[in-house]
Amino acid sequence: MGTVPEAYYQFVMDYAPYVYVIPPDIPDPAFGRAAFAAAFAIDFLYEAYSSKQFETRKTEIYNKIVSLADWILTQQCTHPAKKAYGGFKSTENSTYYYSVDACRVIPSFLKAYELTNDTDYLSAAKLAGATFLKTMQDQQVYGGFARAVTIADAWLLQMDIECLYGLIGLKMLAEKYDTANASSYQDMMTKAVDFLREGFENLWLYYDPSDDKWHRIGLSENEIYDDPFAYALLGLYDYEGWSLTCQKVYNFINSIRASAQYPAYNPAICWAGYIDVISRFSACDYYDAVTSGILWKIRKHHDKPSLEFSMKIIDKHQDQFMFWGVKHVDYSYVENKKAMATVCWLSLLYLNYEPPTTRFTQILRQNGETITLYPIKEAQEQTGYGEDIDIKAIISPARAEEILIEPGYILNDYLTIHVFTPIKQHDKIRRKGVDYEVLDIQAFDWRGETAHFKATLRRLIGQ
């Protein structure tokens, strides 16, 4: 298994449950502490507790999990007369109780219970699922979960596809931790999936009962936030496996292209914070760093090239990826705030990472040639490239029948390469001191998963 950077581990131990930390060591007072930050920290620490890397730190990890779980208990509404009964404050100073926060906390409480045998955590998880989420689902007739309710019983009735993440905790309750009420949880999950699937498959963010429509964001409602889809994907994947729905949504978002405005974007690293799903381009100049972590399990089993490439980039820029947003061009931060959710999810990626082994990667390791990739980052009057990355490739001369030779070039100016790395059109490849431009790329699949990429290269004249 992988090794978590010490800085990541220490960040969680020092600052959870704060949402953001302003370097070097100031918790952001604007957001303070939040149940979801504590929950994601528990998720990571629960796995770290059983990891060989942290076997000498079990006591401090155990104590941190207990302190986080105990703190989350203070954020739960325990007033039976309130509609928020069983829910969790969105932040410590908020009066809103969001469905998605209960979705995030339930699995973490159950892990804390599994480790400590403290029944307070089990009871809190049951209350959040069987009572709060049931209330949020029953408040409307559709089947999703109302977005939020205040402590004064005021409602936000929109239903977010992100709440598909809640399937993880509800399934845990139904199958192991509250089997006496399994049928009730199963009914909740069935209703949620039956309703939210339509919006999820069609790349809508939420449904609003006030106008009886699905919605995205932006003036033309062409854009989505990326992380709700990553969370929803993980929840639905846990519930029904690599279903046609999961494949459709993942493959669509993960194939969003770089554009002339944002040529450095590569979804294999992680997903952009805003994505235009109509034009199929990134709608911003930065990655939402957390998505690389959220997607690790899906990529490990179904998209190994993206898993390997994202880890290669993140590991090379460990400190930058602790911030919630990093620029496509150079991985510099968008805002000077390190994010607890991001660090926790990337820590899980590290903890569970193993270099992918496939028949093609075995061939690459035995017979591949090392070349240097320079990802394109600017496409204005002067083309600009990012930092160098060494990759392996199987290389052969291009065949005349496979390419259209352009004026000013000869056949020897072209190469064909086979790689495991998800390179992009217009990237630069350096081989034996000669620079080439990536012209076109073809993905080859095996049993529904991308096995490798074939690309045509053309020598860069004057480089």
Side-chain angles (χ1 to χ4, degrees):
M1 306 300 281
T3 301
V4 180
E6 179 65 21
Y8 283 38
Y9 170 77
Q10 206 57 55
F11 182 84
V12 175
M13 296 298 288
D14 289 345
Y15 299 112
Y18 285 98
V19 177
Y20 296 112
V21 176
I22 302 168
D25 56 4
I26 302 173
D28 184 1
F31 287 86
R33 297 175 293 182
F36 77 86
F40 292 152
I42 290 173
D43 290 343
F44 160 57
L45 293 173
Y46 175 79
E47 291 198 27
Y49 183 83
S50 301
S51 168
K52 183 177 292 187
Q53 179 184 351
F54 299 107
E55 61 185 355
T56 63
R57 302 181 179 183
K58 285 181 177 286
T59 300
E60 66 183 32
I61 290 173
Y62 182 98
N63 291 339
K64 183 66 175 181
I65 290 173
V66 169
S67 71
L68 290 169
D70 286 347
W71 183 81
I72 298 175
L73 288 175
T74 70
Q75 303 301 292
Q76 187 169 36
C77 177
T78 56
H79 196 312
K82 296 294 183 181
K83 297 296 185 182
Y85 182 47
F88 304 91
K89 296 179 183 179
S90 62
T91 63
E92 60 184 326
N93 296 316
S94 177
T95 59
Y96 281 84
Y97 295 75
Y98 281 79
S99 289
V100 73
D101 285 317
C103 294
R104 293 160 171 166
V105 167
I106 291 170
S108 310
F109 261 153
L110 295 175
K111 292 169 188 175
Y113 167 69
E114 184 75 25
L115 184 66
T116 67
N117 206 34
D118 188 327
T119 56
D120 286 347
Y121 308 148
L122 176 61
S123 298
K126 291 179 181 179
L127 185 62
T131 300
F132 178 71
L133 285 180
K134 185 74 163 59
T135 298
M136 302 305 276
Q137 189 172 62
D138 290 348
Q139 182 60 24
Q140 34 69 40
V141 299
Y142 298 90
F145 301 99
R147 178 177 293 169
V149 65
T150 70
I151 196 65
D153 295 342
W155 289 91
L156 298 178
L157 292 176
Q158 298 90 342
M159 286 160 282
D160 301 302
I161 57 96
E162 187 175 6
C163 283
L164 286 169
Y165 185 79
L167 295 168
I168 297 172
L170 292 173
K171 184 181 174 186
M172 292 170 72
L173 286 166
E175 294 183 351
K176 183 175 181 180
Y177 295 99
D178 192 13
T179 55
N181 294 302
S183 60
S184 177
Y185 294 123
Q186 189 58 57
D187 183 57
M188 291 170 65
M189 290 187 285
T190 299
K191 287 181 180 177
V193 172
D194 286 350
F195 177 72
L196 294 173
R197 189 188 299 276
E198 176 190 354
F200 182 61
E201 284 191 347
N202 290 286
L203 304 169
W204 298 104
L205 279 166
Y206 66 93
Y207 183 86
D208 193 337
S210 67
D211 62 9
D212 199 28
K213 292 180 180 178
W214 289 97
H215 294 274
R216 302 188 187 100
I217 55 173
L219 293 177
S220 302
E221 292 204 346
N222 288 355
E223 299 175 16
I224 61 169
Y225 303 116
D226 66 304
D227 53 324
F229 276 88
Y231 285 118
L233 260 170
L234 184 57
L236 192 62
Y237 178 71
D238 185 80
Y239 179 70
E240 63 184 23
W242 194 229
S243 63
L244 291 176
T245 297
C246 290
Q247 293 178 50
K248 177 181 179 180
V249 173
Y250 177 82
N251 290 333
F252 185 97
I253 298 176
N254 209 60
S255 63
I256 293 293
R257 299 162 290 171
S259 64
Q261 186 176 9
Y262 305 119
Y265 179 58
N266 189 335
I269 298 172
C270 52
W271 292 349
Y274 295 85
I275 297 170
D276 187 326
V277 296
I278 303 302
S279 68
R280 299 194 65 177
F281 290 124
S282 169
C284 67
D285 65 349
Y286 66 88
Y287 294 111
D288 191 359
V290 72
T291 51
S292 289
I294 300 169
L295 296 169
W296 77 259
K297 185 178 295 185
I298 290 173
R299 287 180 162 179
K300 182 174 184 176
H301 296 292
H302 306 288
D303 186 8
K304 294 176 179 66
S306 290
L307 176 73
E308 182 183 69
F309 191 59
S310 66
M311 175 53 81
K312 182 174 289 194
I313 297 300
I314 292 165
D315 197 46
K316 198 171 183 178
H317 300 275
Q318 291 179 10
D319 186 70
Q320 291 98 314
F321 273 84
M322 295 176 76
F323 293 84
W324 65 262
V326 294
K327 297 290 186 70
H328 302 158
V329 171
D330 59 5
Y331 312 116
S332 60
Y333 59 72
V334 175
E335 190 176 11
N336 190 28
K337 293 180 180 180
K338 294 184 176 180
M340 185 58 61
T342 300
V343 173
C344 291
W345 279 104
L346 292 183
S347 295
L348 282 168
L349 167 64
Y350 270 105
L351 199 60
N352 290 279
Y353 181 76
E354 295 175 300
T357 298
T358 68
R359 182 66 187 124
F360 183 74
T361 61
Q362 290 173 334
I363 294 170
L364 272 184
R365 288 166 191 151
Q366 292 172 359
N367 305 305
E369 177 182 328
T370 299
I371 59 177
T372 305
L373 167 67
Y374 295 87
I376 187 169
K377 67 175 185 179
E378 295 177 20
Q380 305 302 322
E381 294 182 5
Q382 184 71 31
T383 303
Y385 300 97
E387 64 184 8
D388 58 295
I389 306 166
D390 287 341
I391 63 173
K392 290 276 192 178
I394 302 295
I395 303 175
S396 61
R399 295 189 295 182
E401 63 269 23
E402 293 183 337
I403 61 170
L404 178 64
I405 300 176
E406 300 173 62
Y409 294 89
I410 61 174
L411 182 60
N412 288 347
D413 291 325
Y414 295 83
L415 292 175
T416 297
I417 65 170
H418 296 263
V419 294
F420 195 65
T421 303
I423 58 178
K424 309 192 313 296
Q425 190 177 28
H426 306 305
D427 284 349
K428 182 170 73 174
I429 299 290
R430 180 168 295 165
R431 184 211 184 202
K432 296 181 178 178
V434 180
D435 290 341
Y436 297 83
E437 180 183 6
V438 178
L439 296 184
D440 55 73
I441 306 157
Q442 181 181 1
F444 285 84
D445 290 353
W446 172 250
R447 294 180 177 176
E449 180 180 341
T450 299
H452 72 279
F453 303 89
K454 176 184 176 183
T456 302
L457 311 183
R458 183 190 63 199
R459 186 167 64 88
L460 281 166
I461 296 176
Q463 292 290 312

